[in-house]
Amino acid sequence: MAGDKIFDDDLLSRCMSCGFCLPSCPTYQLTGEEASSPRGRITLMRAVQEDRLDVTDPTVLAQSQFCLGCRACEPVCPAGVQYGQLLEQWRDTEWQGRRRPLLARALMAMMSWLGMAGITLLGLVRGAAVTRRGSAAAPHLMLGCVERVLYPRVSRSARRLVPALRAPAVQGCCGALHAHNGESAQGRRMAQRLGKQLPGTIVTTSGGCSAHLTHELGADRVVEFSAWIAAGNGPDPASLRPIMLDERGKPLPRHASGGRPARIGLQDSCHLRNAVGVWRQPRELIAHLGEYVEVPNAAGCCGAAGSYSVLRPGDSRAVLAPKLDALAELDLDYLAVVNPGCYRQLAGALKGSRTKVVHLAELLATAAD
Amino acid sequence: MDSTELAGRLAEIVGERHVRTAEGDLEAYARDATPLFRHRPDVVVFPGDAAEVAAVLKLATELSVPVVPRGAGSNLAAATVPLAGGIVLVLTRLTEILEISAPELLARVQPGVSTRALAEAAAGRGLLYVPDPGSQVVSTIGGNVATCAGGLRGLKYGVTRNYVLGLEVVLPTGEIIRTGGRLWKDVAGYDLTRLLTGSEGTLGVITEVTVALVPKPAAARTGVAYFADLAAAGRAVAAVIEAGITPATCEFLDRTCVAAVEDYAHLGLDTQAGALLLFGDDGDPEMVQASLTRIGQVCTEHGATGVTLAESVAASEELLAARRCSLPALSRLGSLTILEDATVPRPKLAEMADRIAAIAARHELTIGTFGHAGDGNLHPTCVLDVHDLDAIERSHAAFGEIFAAALELGGTITGEHGVGAAKLPYLERRLGADQLALLRRIKAAFDPAGILNPGKLGS
Ligand SMILES: Cc1cc2nc3c(=O)[nH]c(=O)nc-3n(C[C@H](O)[C@H](O)[C@H](O)COP(=O)(O)OP(=O)(O)OC[C@H]3O[C@@H](n4cnc5c(N)ncnc54)[C@H](O)[C@@H]3O)c2cc1C
Ligand code: SF4
Ligand code: SF4
């Protein structure tokens, strides 16, 4: 390893160690330790780059994996450090020629090209929105690997809201998971392939895919669903019916009178907010659907973080815990999400509570019906 | 005693979970926000209360092992770099706000509480914690007291020192003392609270702080004025004060800094102007409006090329937040940013700005300058290429001249960041040999074994 440059020198030297990123970092919030902060991790990267530490040093390995990759450290950094890119470079090298955790490999194999036939089939069985119709000039709706299997209602809702969207059944995986797990070249290839399969504008309902695809294909080709609707594609948000609930919190039928507007909060998708900069739009849309309630630290990671909740369930729960406390106090009717990972994490944790976790596209479709 | 044995003894005190000896962890604690200084400790400990701190210090005195107290490590004077190795004692586990007493206008907090967290807790009770260093999102109260941090409200309200009522401090020999308390009026004994404020972790470890709060002003607003250069802005500041106005905030940025901040914050600042003055006041809404208008007028009379007042509180807060980021924003310009800190009497501000510009030009360096104009506190910041050793050498020479200039104009070598290791070579020039010797005797009285933060202030 000695002598080889792992990190882009320009990216690495941007950090001036001011520490402004510390309070935004969920893992630093858990430990209060420098090594599990963004600044500390960058210090470790520097030590690796300058041969003071080996990339396989136990702390170096532990900290790369403890990092959620949520990139909450990026928008708060006045120096403009692109931490997400450094993290990809870090993980790429770390796992070169080594065997990464079995679960991570299994997940990635499932998502990669070979597994696509299976994903497509599962998506079909689960009833994700699949259609050849839609106008030829209309954007493509990306179905997402995880989302089409776990939450097929999301793409169905999106298409119900905007019937012109095209949603071919055969579409690859964007490779975000690979890019975040030490396979950035593979992740890039998969994104390029998907770009070819879905020519023109690609609309996504998953914050994570959106960020990765935007990075690989450019912001002119990729747009996240809520930002796309807020920009005036699809129904005018003002024409949507606010979601009204009876005293017991059950939605009232469209033409019923009375009731109260639903209390709706939002959990940001880390990558959507921190990498793509989309966070105002979902809030604006929700304000048309009911009473918008800002969830404390909505921008803070819920612990799902791609494959993190599967690979590190303990840490994932620890990151989630303060959010659950805050949510319990808010007593929302709906918690809207814009990413399937957050959906899975929060729906699981809030099972049995009064607050129902839904994708924003689902809420929008309900309000439009 | 080797470091494994030391770590074992420390683990008996704080528990194994709160001791670190892995190389990577030591590397992470080898530096703070100061460039060009780096040294690994032998062990890092995270005590959970004052009794544990006391036991750690007692052990260290017994074994003559250096101890460096550390808050958030945001200081710019290499004050938390463990130059002699030993123990880094991190206070980030002590994050409780113990009490906010509205009738007494005070708060009692543990040292690891961040400045921002204290300010927010006070605001929740309709109160204001005044000191607001640019680093408030990350810096700790313990670190603020230990460095006597200044802030953006310094001119009207003073600095951290003016708000510390009492301290709980662990002496290097293990005794726990309480200085001051909850009273404004208390003259029993030497003022150890003041002595410890700004002592940079060389006399004792602060384990609890009682600070004074003030009622939250009804309104707070800011505005900006643009000038041809920093010297013109400096002259306007002097004129504002002479006109009998004491703004709460009076900060300036030169052209280089405005461009860097604008690049980060996108506020629509005029990046063509030579210098920007950010002024603000707080209090009764009408009075604030009148004061801001008046400051704007005086600035215009003294060469401002444009003046705008922030429309809303949110806009004001954005401006202040952007100013707080000047330093890290500057690091967009080069791979190494060296920030310094010098203060001159306010009427000399313009002259000091001119001298800094001349020194930068002579050494062929990019030096951006920003700072707390109201306090005469300047932060000349050199941006360079980390691989350009010759430029780094020239920057050392340039800063030497800048400090000499500050002293010549009746100023000082550090207004708020402290001496640490970075300024130690200049301290005697500021204090004189006799005073420095007294400082060392005081240090020895507190810390007979010389374990606390060696190589820094008082060494
Ligand atoms: C971008 C930026 C802007 C800044 N703006 C300002 C500003 O406007 N004004 C200003 O004054 N400073 C400023 N600073 C400098 C720095 O943030 C302050 O000095 C701050 O008070 C340090 O707090 P900390 O918790 O990070 O302390 P650290 O950096 O961890 O420690 C600083 C010193 O305090 C000692 N110490 C820390 N905790 C304790 C304790 N509990 N007991 C005893 N000693 C202790 C340490 O040993 C060390 O000597 C800025 C820094 C940055 C990076
Ligand atoms: S905020 Fe940016 S420059 Fe400051 S320590 Fe964090 S990554 Fe480095
Ligand atoms: S990506 Fe998230 S967890 Fe990782 S360092 Fe940044 S803020 Fe912390």
Side-chain angles (χ1 to χ4, degrees):
Chain A
M1 196 54 46
D4 285 353
K5 292 278 175 150
I6 294 172
F7 301 100
D8 183 329
D9 252 332
D10 280 345
L11 289 179
L12 202 54
S13 66
R14 264 291 169 87
C15 171
M16 55 82 59
S17 301
C18 64
F20 274 41
C21 51
L22 266 57
S24 73
C25 173
T27 57
Y28 181 72
Q29 279 163 21
L30 286 181
T31 66
E33 288 189 39
E34 193 61 40
S36 50
S37 78
R39 176 178 66 177
R41 291 189 171 110
I42 291 173
T43 304
L44 294 179
M45 295 180 203
R46 284 207 173 117
V48 168
Q49 185 92 332
E50 290 158 17
D51 284 329
R52 283 192 302 280
L53 288 175
D54 193 82
V55 74
T56 59
D57 171 90
T59 310
V60 173
L61 277 178
Q63 287 306 337
S64 137
Q65 280 157 41
F66 186 29
C67 174
L68 294 147
C70 68
R71 293 166 71 174
C73 44
E74 273 187 57
V76 296
C77 170
V81 171
Q82 291 170 296
Y83 179 87
Q85 288 200 40
L86 288 169
L87 181 64
E88 280 185 13
Q89 292 170 0
W90 195 6
R91 291 189 173 165
D92 267 4
T93 321
E94 199 175 85
W95 281 325
Q96 243 168 45
R98 303 174 68 249
R99 296 181 81 72
R100 75 204 70 205
L102 188 70
L103 260 170
R105 274 186 288 144
L107 271 175
M108 283 192 286
M110 197 171 92
M111 302 305 170
S112 66
W113 190 234
L114 276 179
M116 265 338 281
I119 300 261
T120 305
L121 197 67
L122 265 175
L124 288 172
V125 172
R126 300 278 284 128
V130 166
T131 173
R132 288 181 200 291
R133 284 168 302 156
S135 77
H140 280 107
L141 176 66
M142 184 193 154
L143 298 175
C145 312
V146 178
E147 199 164 77
R148 85 173 80 164
V149 176
L150 290 182
Y151 303 107
R153 270 190 34 202
V154 174
S155 56
R156 286 207 303 272
S157 299
R159 243 201 122 252
R160 206 158 77 226
L161 206 60
V162 191
L165 280 170
R166 290 183 286 173
V170 178
Q171 41 176 289
C173 162
C174 71
L177 206 64
H178 299 73
H180 301 153
N181 283 292
E183 294 259 4
S184 59
Q186 170 75 355
R188 189 162 305 134
R189 276 195 298 277
M190 291 168 77
Q192 296 298 342
R193 191 178 300 154
L194 185 65
K196 288 205 189 82
Q197 281 173 335
L198 306 179
T201 303
I202 302 177
V203 176
T204 75
T205 47
S206 149
C209 308
S210 200
H212 178 66
L213 275 185
T214 303
H215 183 68
E216 296 301 342
L217 302 179
D220 51 336
R221 286 218 39 210
V222 185
V223 53
E224 190 272 339
F225 187 71
S226 72
W228 192 66
I229 296 288
N233 305 287
D236 176 4
S239 73
L240 299 174
R241 174 190 70 112
I243 299 173
M244 304 299 285
L245 305 178
D246 65 17
E247 316 85 78
R248 290 172 32 243
K250 294 273 167 290
L252 288 169
R254 185 171 178 90
H255 295 295
S257 59
R260 63 171 177 86
R263 283 167 56 78
I264 311 173
L266 174 80
Q267 166 64 39
D268 281 294
S269 145
C270 293
H271 282 225
L272 190 59
R273 180 169 179 134
N274 302 324
V276 192
V278 171
W279 56 278
R280 281 200 188 87
Q281 298 91 322
R283 287 171 170 76
E284 282 163 19
L285 292 177
I286 291 174
H288 291 286
L289 307 182
E291 182 197 344
Y292 175 70
V293 182
E294 178 73 23
V295 176
N297 195 24
C301 186
C302 67
S307 50
Y308 195 88
S309 60
V310 180
L311 300 176
R312 301 178 70 97
D315 291 327
S316 167
R317 274 195 301 274
V319 172
L320 176 63
K323 197 171 282 293
L324 292 181
D325 292 342
L327 284 169
E329 248 170 62
L330 288 183
D331 197 29
L332 299 167
D333 298 304
Y334 295 104
L335 177 64
V337 292
V338 284
N339 184 59
C342 319
Y343 204 155
R344 183 178 164 276
Q345 176 89 340
L346 290 159
L350 292 176
K351 195 173 268 165
S353 100
R354 204 171 74 72
T355 305
K356 198 166 166 349
V357 179
V358 286
H359 193 286
L360 182 52
E362 295 175 78
L363 274 181
L364 285 165
T366 310
D369 281 347
Chain B
M1 179 179 284
D2 73 2
S3 48
T4 322
E5 226 175 307
L6 177 63
R9 294 284 295 273
L10 290 167
E12 286 167 19
I13 298 169
V14 299
E16 201 141 351
R17 283 178 50 208
H18 302 299
V19 179
R20 295 282 172 278
T21 50
E23 265 192 88
D25 294 295
L26 302 180
E27 182 72 28
Y29 284 99
R31 49 167 306 174
D32 48 34
T34 326
L36 304 177
F37 286 84
R38 198 184 63 78
H39 198 286
R40 275 190 204 173
D42 297 312
V43 49
V44 184
V45 289
F46 302 81
D49 58 28
E52 290 183 3
V53 172
V56 170
L57 292 188
K58 207 162 170 215
L59 177 70
T61 287
E62 200 180 294
L63 304 173
S64 284
V65 175
V67 177
V68 180
R70 175 171 169 128
S74 72
N75 76 87
L76 296 157
T80 48
V81 177
L83 294 173
I87 302 169
V88 167
L89 181 94
V90 189
L91 295 144
T92 49
R93 280 178 67 208
L94 305 180
T95 55
E96 234 172 288
I97 295 179
L98 301 166
E99 175 188 3
I100 292 187
S101 167
E104 289 167 288
L105 288 174
L106 61 79
R108 209 158 52 80
V109 299
Q110 291 191 316
V113 171
S114 81
T115 319
R116 170 62 66 84
L118 171 57
E120 280 174 358
R125 301 286 298 274
L127 302 168
L128 176 71
Y129 176 62
V130 169
D132 58 342
S135 52
Q136 54 156 261
V137 289
V138 51
S139 68
T140 66
I141 289 298
N144 288 175
V145 173
T147 57
C148 186
L152 274 55
R153 284 192 275 258
L155 175 57
K156 183 164 159 184
Y157 290 108
V159 297
T160 301
R161 172 187 293 133
N162 305 104
Y163 295 86
V164 183
L165 294 174
L167 296 172
E168 180 188 80
V169 177
V170 182
L171 300 178
T173 35
E175 300 89 341
I176 303 177
I177 61 165
R178 282 186 168 268
T179 73
R182 306 170 74 92
L183 307 170
W184 275 111
K185 295 181 76 167
D186 182 356
V187 293
Y190 295 139
D191 190 349
L192 295 183
T193 310
R194 280 230 168 184
L195 177 59
L196 286 156
T197 304
S199 64
E200 300 184 25
T202 60
L203 300 181
V205 175
I206 299 160
T207 46
E208 193 186 300
V209 183
T210 307
V211 291
L213 305 173
V214 301
K216 201 170 164 204
R221 295 276 298 278
T222 58
V224 292
Y226 296 100
F227 294 89
D229 56 31
L230 214 49
R235 282 189 293 274
V237 173
V240 167
I241 312 272
E242 240 168 87
I245 314 164
T246 312
T249 296
C250 193
E251 303 283 307
F252 64 82
L253 303 171
D254 72 2
R255 185 198 304 270
T256 314
C257 300
V258 173
V261 166
E262 179 60 21
D263 192 29
Y264 164 62
H266 307 293
L267 294 172
L269 303 175
D270 177 3
T271 50
Q272 297 308 308
L276 176 157
L277 199 61
L278 172 66
F279 53 87
D281 207 355
D282 57 13
D284 172 70
E286 270 165 41
M287 193 211 78
V288 170
Q289 190 59 36
S291 150
L292 253 60
T293 311
R294 186 82 188 96
I295 298 172
Q297 280 166 358
V298 177
C299 284
T300 309
E301 285 157 22
H302 288 80
T305 52
V307 175
T308 39
L309 304 187
E311 291 296 329
S312 63
V313 177
S316 284
E317 201 28 66
E318 272 186 13
L319 278 173
L320 290 170
R323 156 61 188 88
R324 290 189 189 104
C325 293
S326 332
L327 164 62
L330 270 172
S331 85
R332 290 166 178 255
L333 306 178
S335 49
L336 178 65
T337 22
I338 308 177
L339 171 134
E340 278 305 352
D341 169 32
T343 305
V344 294
R346 209 179 300 117
K348 298 284 166 72
L349 204 60
E351 189 176 345
M352 187 64 187
D354 276 342
R355 289 224 199 167
I356 292 172
I359 292 169
R362 194 159 59 246
H363 291 279
E364 295 172 27
L365 293 166
T366 305
I367 296 188
T369 301
F370 64 96
H372 314 286
D375 309 329
N377 187 191
L378 305 103
H379 295 318
T381 304
C382 189
V383 188
L384 20 87
D385 174 357
V386 70
H387 301 297
D388 188 346
L389 298 181
D390 183 56
I392 294 177
E393 207 47 53
R394 291 201 309 277
S395 79
H396 292 319
F399 281 126
E401 288 173 30
I402 287 172
F403 298 138
L407 290 172
E408 217 177 285
L409 296 175
T412 183
I413 55 168
T414 170
E416 55 178 24
H417 293 164
V419 176
K423 291 281 177 67
L424 199 56
Y426 301 99
L427 190 60
E428 186 167 348
R429 265 200 255 169
R430 169 74 180 102
L431 299 182
D434 290 344
Q435 199 180 157
L436 198 58
L438 174 62
L439 246 60
R440 290 185 177 134
R441 291 202 296 278
I442 294 173
K443 161 84 174 158
F446 274 79
D447 180 14
I451 56 151
L452 263 188
N453 220 349
K456 317 286 169 60
L457 175 66
S459 299

